[in-house]
Amino acid sequence: MMKMKKIMVTGVAMSILGSAAGGADADNVPSDWSSSSENTVITDEKAPSTISNSYENTKELIRKFPVMNPTPIDTELGKDIQNRLLNGFENWNRGYDAWKAWGDILYTEDSLYNVHGVKLTLKEYQDSMNAMLKTSDIQMGNFNNMIVSGDWTAIRYDISTINRQTGEAVDGSVMEFVHFKDYGDKLGTRVLEGWAGTKGADFAELSNFQTEEEKAAQQAELEKIINTSIPDTSNLEKKYPVAYPTPIDTKMAKKIQNAILNDFDNWNQGYDAWATWADTYYDSNMQYHTNSGTMTLEKYKDAVKDAAESTDVKRIYFDNMLISGDWAAIHYRITNQDLTTGEKTAGDVMQFLHFAEDGNGVKVVESWTK
């Protein structure tokens, strides 16, 4: 297993499910990553002629790709999803041919993948990965988290990216949210849609894989978020709805849900209100991990205050709120308004949160954010 040397995200990161790019740091996006139809397929000559696709090999693969922070997986669908994730890692690391064959099993022609905020069809998704693999070799490492709730999963995992020209290796991490469906046929559980990484500086570059109609539809969705009004209600579940709800049915889960909703509400009241609330939401020894490094609670407060002087960020609604054990994974939409120009844009955030009970409530002891 790879050992992570530093907290950062690679310029191109792969999905264990087949080929999803993870949250990219714009400075690391390969300069020749384009949507040209002349892209050649990268084939690993060492790739085996067979792939790993058994629903019976979970125990074997979990030893090879351990979950560092395990949470309960106690439904048959959840166990199928877990197995799909593990087989995805195994096939990815076997080489391109194995990945290509695996993708034909895991996805359908109608499957979608949102890569850094850009919604791609299966063909567009495969083309983007083919372009990326011309410059980089990527190997999967450990799962840090595998949170399964209902027919959704949220995963955070390690990768190592090797530049094919220079041989330089960079360690990184990826976050993904994936919606599955059990089709009930011989292929069973497959991907409906996935989200890998958040909207970043490479948004325009990835949009080149879309048709003009798809670009227009995507822009319309962004405008819809920009123009969303936060409901005027004291019911926080209605004020900050979850687009794709999953079960929240334990006492701990409900405490975590309540804390997250209150964090949203205090954030939207401005820096002073949030900074006071942060002492309730975060443990005093909390570690806050971002692409740039790790901050203490006080350093995180300082960073939020500095950012608030130039940009007004509002938290609008959740795509997902997956809670299992004492962990939560959230994917949510935000708007950013430049306080100088007044320009307003839409974005999204992915976050994994580790909670601990604190009296009648809970506190965040560690956070990972992209």
Side-chain angles (χ1 to χ4, degrees):
M1 292 301 123
M2 297 175 297
K3 228 172 165 182
M4 301 310 294
K5 298 173 185 173
K6 53 187 172 180
I7 297 172
M8 64 177 295
V9 67
T10 66
V12 284
M14 293 291 116
S15 164
I16 62 168
L17 300 175
S19 63
D25 196 335
D27 293 337
N28 292 326
V29 176
S31 59
D32 57 350
W33 186 9
S34 71
S35 58
S36 170
S37 60
E38 298 178 357
N39 289 333
T40 57
V41 172
I42 300 299
T43 300
D44 186 345
E45 294 179 356
K46 297 180 181 179
S49 57
T50 60
I51 63 170
S52 175
N53 187 37
S54 170
Y55 278 107
E56 308 303 321
N57 62 357
T58 297
K59 289 184 179 179
E60 170 192 343
L61 293 180
I62 202 73
R63 288 193 293 269
K64 193 171 185 179
F65 302 106
V67 180
M68 309 311 292
N69 300 287
T71 48
I73 299 176
D74 49 17
T75 67
E76 289 305 311
L77 178 59
K79 292 173 183 177
D80 285 349
I81 290 172
Q82 177 191 40
N83 180 269
R84 286 306 204 192
L85 299 172
L86 292 166
N87 274 300
F89 259 46
E90 174 68 9
N91 288 315
W92 180 264
N93 285 352
R94 289 186 181 194
Y96 181 85
D97 287 347
W99 164 75
K100 188 70 168 64
W102 170 248
D104 293 339
I105 291 172
L106 188 63
Y107 301 103
T108 72
E109 290 184 357
D110 297 324
S111 295
L112 299 169
Y113 232 92
N114 299 267
V115 183
H116 301 178
V118 179
K119 187 184 293 289
L120 301 173
T121 65
L122 179 59
K123 177 62 167 59
E124 293 164 348
Y125 178 38
Q126 291 171 333
D127 287 346
S128 70
M129 293 303 101
N130 180 36
M132 186 208 61
L133 287 173
K134 291 171 63 179
T135 61
S136 302
D137 176 36
I138 296 172
Q139 289 291 295
M140 302 300 185
N142 295 327
F143 287 95
N144 291 298
N145 298 96
M146 184 190 293
I147 299 174
V148 179
S149 183
D151 51 8
W152 280 86
T153 186
I155 50 180
R156 182 172 66 90
Y157 58 91
D158 299 338
I159 63 170
S160 181
T161 302
I162 302 171
N163 185 299
R164 291 185 182 274
Q165 291 185 329
T166 66
E168 179 185 4
V170 179
D171 292 340
S173 65
V174 179
M175 294 179 184
E176 294 187 43
F177 289 73
V178 190
H179 192 191
F180 285 87
K181 178 182 178 180
D182 183 356
Y183 283 84
D185 57 18
K186 65 179 181 179
L187 294 178
T189 302
R190 308 173 81 178
V191 171
L192 286 172
E193 190 167 3
W195 285 257
T198 55
K199 183 174 180 284
D202 58 344
F203 182 81
E205 186 72 24
L206 277 162
S207 297
N208 287 332
F209 291 95
Q210 296 178 304
T211 65
E212 291 303 316
E213 291 78 8
E214 289 167 345
K215 290 179 184 179
Q218 181 169 260
Q219 187 57 44
E221 284 299 313
L222 291 174
E223 291 295 330
K224 185 177 179 181
I225 296 171
I226 290 171
N227 294 317
T228 297
S229 296
I230 299 173
D232 182 13
T233 174
S234 59
N235 184 327
L236 297 187
E237 290 185 52
K238 291 183 178 180
K239 193 171 187 177
Y240 305 107
V242 179
Y244 304 99
T246 49
I248 298 176
D249 50 15
T250 68
K251 288 183 179 179
M252 183 68 168
K254 290 174 182 177
K255 288 180 181 180
I256 291 173
Q257 176 193 37
N258 182 64
I260 292 171
L261 290 171
N262 273 283
D263 186 50
F264 262 52
D265 207 42
N266 280 281
W267 177 280
N268 285 343
Q269 293 176 39
Y271 174 78
D272 290 339
W274 174 81
T276 300
W277 153 257
D279 292 327
T280 299
Y281 186 57
Y282 295 104
D283 183 81
S284 59
N285 295 316
M286 182 270 297
Q287 291 185 305
Y288 194 91
H289 307 286
T290 70
N291 295 346
S292 302
T294 299
M295 292 180 280
T296 63
L297 176 57
E298 291 309 311
K299 290 291 186 183
Y300 177 45
K301 285 183 179 180
D302 290 343
V304 172
K305 185 176 183 180
D306 288 344
E309 292 177 357
S310 61
T311 309
D312 181 26
V313 178
K314 288 289 188 287
R315 298 178 178 182
I316 306 300
Y317 66 82
F318 297 89
D319 278 49
N320 307 96
M321 184 189 296
L322 277 67
I323 302 175
S324 182
D326 51 8
W327 282 85
I330 55 177
H331 182 200
Y332 57 93
R333 301 291 161 165
I334 61 172
T335 58
N336 299 275
Q337 185 167 26
D338 188 301
L339 296 179
T340 301
T341 66
E343 181 184 9
K344 199 172 185 181
T345 56
D348 61 322
V349 178
M350 290 182 177
Q351 195 169 25
F352 281 71
L353 300 159
H354 192 195
F355 288 85
E357 291 196 85
D358 181 66
N360 293 325
V362 291
K363 283 193 173 185
V364 176
V365 294
E366 200 161 6
S367 168
W368 291 261
T369 302
K370 293 190 185 298

